[in-house]
């Protein structure tokens, strides 16, 4: 009895992992199809499609696209297999819950090897959970300072976790610093000259570099996005517009960094591993309908800016026109751009070619759920925040490193 009990205690339970499958779609199919064809117009963005639901005049093309629907990924370029290391990577379902607990952030504390993430803002109030990659345990935090004010995007920097809050009607939203030992949250930014920010969506710290942000010390960029557009409550009165701001602890200032006339609705903000570039996703707002108005005013895009010596974003460069919309993003140590999009997690080359997609149709199975917003790339693992589920997919390449701190 005793012996078998001990044996049970010592038993290493094998990880419940499964094999992920995928298909290869020629990238020429993205711009030349057997005609006539019909794109998928079921998504609420209108005018945007989920490519694999396209129906064409050619049965073998249709069979290929169809076969992708239940697959974990589809590749458009051989380089995607370099990332995966194999065509059949392991994917592990870590946890399923009844609520949408896994949606935003996905901030890697590489010192503890933990991923912090927040629940879905559509079913507010949001809260933060931590996936410990050493044990695969998920712990939900109880942080009184963040009750009802909807923590959203997160970023780990210099031993501290930072979260944005979307806010609510009565509490000014902004940026909080969270101690990773005590989980005490302290506001560090909540106003711009007495005005309340729109919902603060995302943030990224940029270190001082040799060409960029020279002598400025580290700078924090954060985006504000009026989430009331998406039927989410909260957010301050509409005094300030949706902007990207820059906070400099050294000069003790918050300044506008990217104006609304450059990006109507900034969402994800991210630096690359070198700190030379700042990437921003722009949302067609609000989920711009088709027609001249949508086309004229709003774009669903990923832009890259160069950071100059004063840490000012210059040289706006379009790196991707996103057919649906892009939310959280990460730049890996190879300069590849990973974005949470309607279709799933899309990986692009530094120049913008889609290399492959981790397929939302297979990863998010609940009917009517919002798309995946974010994820985390932690060395050679992809942590997928699939709303009511969290997966970890094993990559064949260390795409990020603690040293580069790109998370
Ligand atoms: C566009 O979206 C609206 C609202 O979701 C829907 O009623 C309409 O049918 C859509 N139009 C197309 C062309 O898909
Ligand atoms: C359909 O597409 C396949 C693959 O491109 C091609 O080999 C085949 O000839 C096409 N069939 C027809 C009927 O056009
Ligand atoms: C995908 O999976 C669903 C549910 O298991 C199934 O009904 C459907 O036939 C599958 N589609 C394809 C193309 O294999
Ligand atoms: C806003 O936050 C405050 C402070 O947590 C809370 O008292 C209030 O109930 C919240 N409002 C809503 C609508 O949740
Ligand atoms: C996406 O995840 C990163 C963490 O890896 C985080 O810094 C960022 O805030 C998230 N973006 C959004 C829009 O939540
Ligand atoms: C990092 O944090 C330490 C305190 O833990 C502080 O002394 C140091 O100035 C910080 N460095 C940067 C670059 O913010
Ligand atoms: C696009 O953005 C403009 C400027 O904010 C806004 O007035 C307009 O309603 C948006 N257009 C659509 C079609 O959503
Ligand atoms: C990633 O780096 C870690 C630490 O150096 C190493 O243990 C692991 O094998 C690497 N993974 C791959 C896929 O190379």
């Amino acid at each position: 009895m005793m012996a078998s009990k001990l044996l049970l205690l010592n038993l290493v339970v094998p990880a419940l992992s499964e094999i992920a499958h995928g298909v290869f779609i020629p990238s020429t199919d993205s711009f030349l199809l057997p005609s006539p064809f019909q794109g998928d117009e079921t998504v609420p963005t209108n005018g945007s499609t989920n490519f694999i639901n396209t129906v064409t005049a050619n049965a073998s093309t249709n069979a290929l696209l169809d076969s992708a629907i239940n697959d974990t990924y589809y590749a458009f370029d051989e380089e995607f297999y370099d990332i995966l290391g194999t065509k059949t990577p392991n994917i592990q379902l870590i946890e399923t819950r009844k609520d949408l607990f896994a949606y935003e952030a996905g901030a890697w504390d590489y010192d503890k090897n933990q991923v912090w993430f927040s629940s879905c803002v559509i079913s507010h109030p949001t809260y933060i959970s931590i996936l410990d990659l050493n044990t695969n345990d998920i712990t939900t935090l109880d942080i009184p300072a963040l009750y009802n004010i909807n923590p959203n995007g997160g970023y780990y920097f210099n031993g501290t976790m930072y979260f944005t809050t979307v806010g609510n009607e009565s509490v000014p939203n902004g940026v909080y610093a969270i101690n990773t030992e005590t989980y005490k949250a302290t506001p560090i930014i909540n106003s711009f000259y007495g005005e309340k920010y729109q919902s603060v969506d995302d943030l990224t710290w940029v270190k001082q570099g040799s060409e960029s942000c020279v002598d400025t010390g580290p700078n924090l960029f954060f985006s504000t996005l009026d989430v009331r557009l998406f039927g989410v409550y909260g957010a301050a009165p509409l005094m300030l517009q949706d902007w990207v701001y820059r906070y400099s602890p050294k000069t003790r200032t918050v300044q506008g960094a990217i104006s609304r006339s450059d990006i109507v609705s900034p969402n994800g903000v991210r630096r690359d591993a070198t700190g030379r570039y700042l990437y921003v996703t722009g949302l067609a707002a609000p989920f711009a309908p088709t027609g001249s108005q949508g086309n004229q005013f709003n774009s669903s895009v990923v832009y890259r800016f160069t950071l100059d010596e004063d840490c000012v974003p210059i040289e706006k460069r379009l790196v991707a026109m996103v057919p649906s919309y892009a939310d959280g993003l990460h730049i890996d140590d190879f300069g590849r751009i990973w974005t949470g999009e309607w279709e799933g997690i899309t990986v692009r080359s530094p120049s913008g070619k889609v290399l492959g997609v981790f397929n939302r149709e297979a990863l998010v199975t609940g009917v009517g759920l919002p798309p995946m917003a974010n994820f985390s790339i932690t060395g050679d693992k992809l942590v997928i925040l699939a709303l009511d589920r969290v997966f970890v997919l094993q990559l064949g390449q260390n795409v990020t490193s603690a040293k580069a701190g790109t998370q």
Side-chain angles (χ1 to χ4, degrees):
M1 218 35 205
M2 206 54 201
S4 68
K5 245 187 191 163
L6 280 176
L7 194 71
L8 270 179
L9 284 175
N10 291 328
L11 196 73
V12 177
V13 182
L16 235 188
S17 57
E18 284 198 47
I19 306 298
H21 296 276
V23 294
F24 189 86
I25 302 175
S27 62
T28 47
D29 283 0
S30 69
F31 59 85
L32 182 63
L33 285 171
S35 184
F37 57 86
Q38 176 64 54
D40 165 28
E41 285 166 8
T42 58
V43 294
T45 42
N46 285 27
S48 54
T49 68
N50 192 347
F51 176 62
I52 55 173
N53 292 326
T54 304
V55 178
T56 79
N58 180 312
S60 70
T61 302
N62 293 346
L64 175 67
L65 296 177
D66 246 16
S67 68
I69 287 171
N70 289 342
D71 279 343
T72 304
Y73 72 88
Y74 42 97
F76 286 102
D77 191 289
E78 294 290 336
E79 190 183 337
F80 199 65
Y81 297 122
D82 296 341
I83 300 171
L84 297 179
T86 162
K87 291 186 177 170
T88 52
N90 282 331
I91 183 166
Q92 189 178 354
L93 174 61
I94 304 297
E95 195 169 321
T96 305
R97 290 193 189 173
K98 287 206 172 65
D99 61 335
L100 308 183
F101 75 125
Y103 188 64
E104 272 292 12
W108 184 28
D109 170 349
Y110 37 77
D111 294 320
K112 293 193 169 69
N113 203 18
Q114 296 178 334
V115 172
W116 293 45
F117 56 90
S118 54
S119 61
C120 183
V121 75
I122 300 202
S123 47
H124 46 78
T126 65
Y127 57 87
I128 297 170
S129 302
I130 299 179
L131 163 63
D132 188 333
L133 287 166
N134 307 298
T135 59
N136 280 345
D137 286 333
I138 296 178
T139 311
T140 289
L141 302 183
D142 183 28
I143 306 180
L146 300 181
Y147 286 170
N148 292 316
I149 57 171
N150 299 310
N152 191 61
Y155 197 87
Y156 181 68
F157 177 68
N158 192 30
T160 298
M161 187 62 76
Y162 294 85
F163 262 80
T164 66
T165 63
V166 163
N168 80 16
E169 298 85 348
S170 56
V171 180
N173 48 60
V175 178
Y176 281 74
I178 308 177
N179 182 305
T180 61
E181 300 290 340
T182 63
Y183 304 136
K184 186 177 186 305
T186 314
I188 61 165
I189 299 166
N190 68 6
S191 162
F192 190 74
Y193 294 95
E195 295 300 332
K196 291 174 183 164
Y197 294 103
Q198 310 278 34
S199 326
V200 182
D201 193 77
D202 200 4
L203 78 176
T204 190
W205 277 96
V206 180
K207 286 180 199 158
Q208 182 166 325
S210 53
E211 286 175 89
S212 298
C213 312
V214 184
D215 296 332
T216 65
N219 280 246
L220 171 69
F221 289 86
F222 60 96
S223 60
T224 63
L225 176 68
D226 186 5
V227 293
R228 291 176 306 176
L229 294 174
F230 319 115
V232 175
Y233 89 164
L238 196 64
M239 292 304 289
L240 298 174
Q241 301 162 330
D242 290 343
W243 270 57
V244 176
Y245 296 84
R246 179 168 62 90
Y247 163 57
S248 161
K250 186 173 175 182
T251 61
R252 288 183 295 245
T253 52
V254 170
Q255 290 172 267
I258 300 169
S259 84
R260 186 169 173 78
S261 40
D262 278 320
I263 301 181
V264 173
S265 300
N267 190 339
V269 286
R270 204 75 195 162
R271 69 177 174 89
D272 75 329
T274 66
R276 182 82 175 120
Y277 300 118
L278 184 76
Y279 290 77
V280 184
T281 58
L283 205 62
F287 287 154
T290 47
S292 58
Q293 203 201 9
N295 282 334
Q296 199 175 343
F297 292 114
N298 305 301
S299 306
S300 186
V301 282
V302 183
Y303 284 116
R304 188 191 86 181
F305 294 83
T306 303
L307 293 171
D308 76 3
E309 58 275 18
D310 297 321
C311 223
V312 172
I314 57 168
E315 295 172 4
K316 180 184 183 188
R317 181 181 192 260
L318 183 71
V319 291
M321 187 276 189
V322 177
S324 58
Y325 82 96
D327 198 324
L329 84 162
H330 303 255
I331 312 303
D332 75 17
D333 292 358
F334 300 85
R336 300 184 199 109
I337 304 143
W338 301 51
T339 42
E341 297 184 8
W342 180 272
E343 288 85 350
I345 299 163
T346 302
V347 186
R348 290 187 175 79
S349 71
S351 62
K353 178 179 184 184
V354 177
L355 304 175
V357 177
F358 295 97
N359 180 20
R360 167 192 191 256
E361 302 258 0
L363 293 165
V364 178
T365 49
V367 177
L369 290 184
M372 282 187 287
N374 216 338
F375 54 92
S376 189
I377 35 180
T378 61
D380 59 6
K381 291 187 171 56
L382 169 64
V383 177
I384 301 170
L385 305 174
L387 295 110
D388 57 353
R389 300 188 290 174
V390 173
F391 296 94
V392 174
L393 188 141
Q394 181 63 47
L395 303 173
Q397 209 176 48
N398 272 299
V399 293
T400 58
S401 61
K403 194 164 153 265
T406 40
Q407 314 178 30

